[in-house]
Amino acid sequence: MILTLTPNPSIDRTVALDGELTRGQVHRVASVTSQGGGKGVNISRAAISADIPSIAVVPAAKDDPFVLELLTAGIDCRPVRPAGNVRVNLTITEPDGTTTKLNSPGAEVLPLHLELMAQAVLVRASSAAWTVLAGSLPAGAPPEFYAELVRRLREVGGRVAVDTSEAPLQALVDGLPTSAPDLMKPNGEELASFTGGDPDELESDPAATAVAARQLIDGGVGAVLATLGGNGAVLVTPEGAWHATPPPTTVVSTVGAGDSSLFGYLLGDIRGLAAPDRLALAVAYGSAAAGLPGTTIPQPSQLRTELVGVTALGDTS
């Protein structure tokens, strides 16, 4: 079972244009889709599609349409008392795959709301193969929320993956080694934000990415899955480092591709795959997601894992 926490969930509304987005102009919309989302929710969706049980902890009212939609999708949703309504995020996609995101902040939380979320995770983590803490934090939450929750999860057992950015990511790194999760999934820009590297260089140079990620391994993190967009991903563990290139993909929407990549890695681990094969499955999931509209999660039948190329990288110490 994969347990996910999405502290700042959203209703993800995707607007697909039939031409290039131009500020100040009237545009014709090709399609509009809307579904409950957020990083952890997306991972739970991917798990259900791959026949892996998943529990999704989210702050929302029990009778909120957001919760009902997840239950209808087969996700075991465990709502906890929210601070307010679920926020709405807007994504605008263009025919060439260019994506523009407009994310709302969500309701401001109190310590009570955060503790309810933490407790909902802590009581279930010992029965999960992985606990995933994912996404931004709501207004009012201290940046250290994830770092502290990782420490508390260590006391109950189970493996922990974290996918976040900005201040919560920095707080997690600042708290190493006591805040070290079993897996972190930064992208090139996020990796550069706390290693001092150049984001463009990391996105284009897998070897440089591996060297930067090694800093996290040295800090106690179990593994680092660094996603690099069209350049694939890099996996670094205490045993080695690998780079995977994606199969040829016509990009439709990159929203949720990183979430799918993270799930692919977790699925590979649950299946007992070796590190290079876990990385290949992660990239296969991410590239398949990028070829689908909105935040659509790929089905296992849509993967092209056999077209992912994996190479071992040299010394990253």
Side-chain angles (χ1 to χ4, degrees):
M1 188 268 286
I2 294 178
L3 173 64
T4 66
L5 170 63
T6 309
N8 203 17
S10 61
I11 298 170
D12 290 337
R13 193 159 293 150
T14 302
V15 177
L17 301 181
D18 57 7
E20 182 179 343
L21 174 66
T22 305
R23 292 179 58 194
Q25 298 297 312
V26 175
H27 294 277
R28 295 194 180 278
V29 174
S31 65
V32 178
T33 59
S34 183
Q35 68 175 11
K39 284 184 171 296
V41 169
N42 292 341
I43 290 168
S44 287
R45 285 188 189 277
I48 296 303
S49 72
D51 294 325
I52 300 294
S54 183
I55 295 175
V57 175
V58 296
K62 292 182 179 179
D63 58 352
D64 191 303
F66 179 90
V67 173
L68 300 179
E69 191 261 321
L70 297 187
L71 293 172
T72 301
I75 298 171
D76 186 357
C77 183
R78 303 299 176 97
V80 298
R81 179 179 169 184
N85 295 328
V86 176
R87 65 191 178 127
V88 176
N89 288 344
L90 178 64
T91 298
I92 303 171
T93 63
E94 302 172 47
D96 66 354
T98 300
T99 301
T100 302
K101 295 196 67 176
L102 304 173
N103 291 347
S104 56
E108 185 167 349
V109 298
L110 300 174
L112 167 65
H113 302 114
L114 296 172
E115 184 58 24
L116 288 173
M117 284 188 276
Q119 288 297 331
V121 170
L122 290 167
V123 298
R124 298 176 173 90
S126 62
S127 61
W130 281 92
T131 296
V132 182
L133 313 178
S136 63
L137 295 179
E144 299 80 15
F145 175 72
Y146 281 145
E148 180 57 31
L149 186 51
V150 170
R151 296 185 185 99
R152 297 172 70 180
L153 283 165
R154 289 288 175 225
E155 299 175 3
V156 300
R159 290 175 294 172
V160 185
V162 181
D163 181 9
T164 189
S165 60
E166 299 179 350
L169 175 61
Q170 187 62 57
L172 191 73
V173 174
D174 291 343
L176 298 177
T178 61
S179 64
D182 298 279
L183 175 66
M184 289 180 65
K185 196 215 71 65
N187 59 31
E189 182 177 355
E190 291 161 353
L191 195 58
S193 70
F194 56 82
T195 61
D198 178 77
D200 293 335
E201 179 186 6
L202 295 187
E203 288 281 354
S204 61
D205 186 349
T209 300
V211 170
R214 179 63 61 183
Q215 297 181 38
L216 295 175
I217 301 297
D218 293 342
V221 177
V224 178
L225 175 66
T227 52
L228 305 176
N231 290 322
V234 166
L235 174 64
V236 180
T237 73
E239 293 73 37
W242 300 265
H243 172 233
T245 55
T249 303
T250 300
V251 176
V252 177
S253 173
T254 59
V255 181
D259 307 331
S260 290
S261 293
L262 176 53
F263 170 72
Y265 180 91
L266 300 179
L267 179 61
D269 178 81
I270 290 171
R271 290 176 173 173
L273 301 183
D277 297 321
R278 296 197 299 269
L279 175 60
L281 191 56
V283 171
Y285 257 95
S287 61
L292 298 172
T295 55
T296 304
I297 301 298
Q299 299 295 314
S301 61
Q302 295 174 303
L303 305 182
R304 295 183 293 166
T305 311
E306 73 281 359
L307 298 182
V308 176
V310 179
T311 57
L313 299 174
D315 182 22
T316 59
S317 59

